Structure formats: structure tokens, C-alpha cells
Amino acid sequence: MIGRFVAGAALVLVNAACSAAAGPSPTDPTPAAATSASAPAIDPTSAAYCTDKGGMLVARVATWDTNGDPSTWLPLAGHQTFCEFDMGSGNTGTRISVGLTTLSSSEPTLAAIAYLSKIKTTSPPVVGQNPAEWSCANDFKGAASFGTANAGGGWVDASQPVFVVMNQCVFPDGSSIDEFGLWYHANGTVRGADLAPLFAYQPGDRLPAVYTRTP
């Protein structure tokens, strides 16, 4: 019963987060982060790998306070283009976002290994705490938090009709994958696309033991 309760609570939280990610309605004030993202130049080979695998290139701006009213959002200096995959459509659709190099590198990255490892995740000690952000920090030793307040933050593309904000789990080697896609996959659910066969890095049965794998 406890396991079902935790799973249910997590799904409610995630659904709420996805609804929040839909961004401002047409009548809301235009957020400060709504200007077009000016991402650094990207490697054309990595970009081509993304689109060849069925992904789309999305330029996003690192933004603080995305839990607040869009008029209070604070765009930061970070700009990055991600490879993103959709499954389904509209408000019932799902998406996964991954760093271009993370997807296209034939060499191992921590984000790719984390996704492929499918370790058993732990639950946050506080009811209502974001389980994906908790797992990123505690199970995978990545970082997804924007500061220490409850204002939150994420990677914003205000032109997106649904997935305005994506929350990346960023690893010390610079690789990244969105925290919800990572958390869901570890718990047996695919969001957006199954990245396992799409990574250029294919370790087969020789996946490095960076993370403890489930039996």
C-alpha cells in the first residue's frame, strides 16, 4: 500500500508539473524569458544526429522563478539547444529533452549511463517534493535545482505550445537529460521516446558500473 501511495503521489505531482510547464495563457503577461533564445553555435554533426533520429532542435534559456507568475521569471545567461522527442500530442503528450552531445557522443557520458542504468530510485523525505529533482540529486548525483528557494527554475522556450519549461538533470561532465524523462525511465515508463537505442553510445552488456543497477 505504501508503494502505491508514493507512486500515486508522484504521478499527481508530475502531472501538476507538466500542467505548469504549459506556460502562460494568451491573457497572461508576457514573461521576461519570452524573447527568442540565442543559443551558442551548435555542432552541425550533433544537430544532424538529433534530427536523423527523429528529434527536434529546441533552443532554451536557463530561467529562475518558473514556479511564479511569468512576469517574475528571470532569464539567466545560460542558453543551450537541446534535442527533444515527443510522444502523443496536446496536453496528453509527453516529451524528453537531452543534450545534443549526450545523445550524439559515441563516448560514454554520465547522463547516458544514468538513463541506461535504470537504477531503483529513492523517494523524497518530504511529501509533495519533486521526486524527479530529488532523484537527480540523490540517486544520480546530478543537479537540477535553481537556487535554494521554492521559486524553482528550468530551461525555457516560450514559443513552445505545451512544453515551455523543461527541467534538465545536469552532470559534472556537462552532459544532461531532463529529470522527468530520467526518473520515469528508471521506473519503467518511457516519456517522449526511448533513448536507449538512440544514443550513439551503445555499451551493450558492458555498461560501466557508475550507478548501481537493479538485478
Side-chain angles (χ1 to χ4, degrees):
M1 289 296 292
I2 294 176
R4 293 178 183 175
F5 175 79
V6 172
L11 288 174
V12 169
L13 177 64
V14 169
N15 286 335
C18 288
S19 296
S25 70
T27 58
D28 287 336
T30 301
T35 54
S36 297
S38 179
I42 58 177
D43 173 36
T45 301
S46 296
Y49 187 91
C50 166
T51 55
D52 287 347
K53 293 297 182 181
M56 55 187 170
L57 301 170
V58 181
R60 294 184 177 274
V61 182
T63 305
W64 180 77
D65 198 19
T66 54
N67 288 343
D69 186 90
S71 64
T72 69
W73 292 4
L74 175 66
L76 303 172
H79 294 69
Q80 188 170 338
T81 297
F82 299 94
C83 187
E84 302 189 357
F85 298 85
D86 282 348
M87 179 185 295
S89 61
N91 291 329
T92 62
T94 63
R95 177 177 291 198
I96 193 165
S97 177
V98 60
L100 288 179
T101 301
T102 303
L103 184 71
S104 65
S105 175
S106 59
E107 299 298 318
T109 66
L110 290 174
I113 294 172
Y115 186 90
L116 294 170
S117 294
K118 296 189 69 173
I119 67 172
K120 181 177 177 59
T121 62
T122 57
S123 299
V126 179
V127 176
Q129 187 174 355
N130 182 338
E133 184 175 315
W134 165 268
S135 182
C136 168
N138 292 275
D139 298 324
F140 297 104
K141 306 306 179 186
S145 298
F146 279 67
T148 58
N150 293 325
W155 289 84
V156 169
D157 176 5
S159 70
Q160 293 292 318
V162 178
F163 298 99
V164 173
V165 182
M166 296 296 283
N167 302 91
Q168 292 287 315
C169 184
V170 182
F171 293 83
D173 64 345
S175 60
S176 68
I177 189 169
D178 91 77
E179 62 182 29
F180 283 110
L182 178 60
W183 183 80
Y184 265 106
H185 185 256
N187 289 283
T189 299
V190 169
R191 285 176 64 84
D194 183 2
L195 297 183
L198 302 182
F199 286 122
Y201 171 63
Q202 292 292 321
D205 59 358
R206 300 182 300 279
L207 186 66
V210 177
Y211 304 100
T212 302
R213 302 181 70 180
T214 55

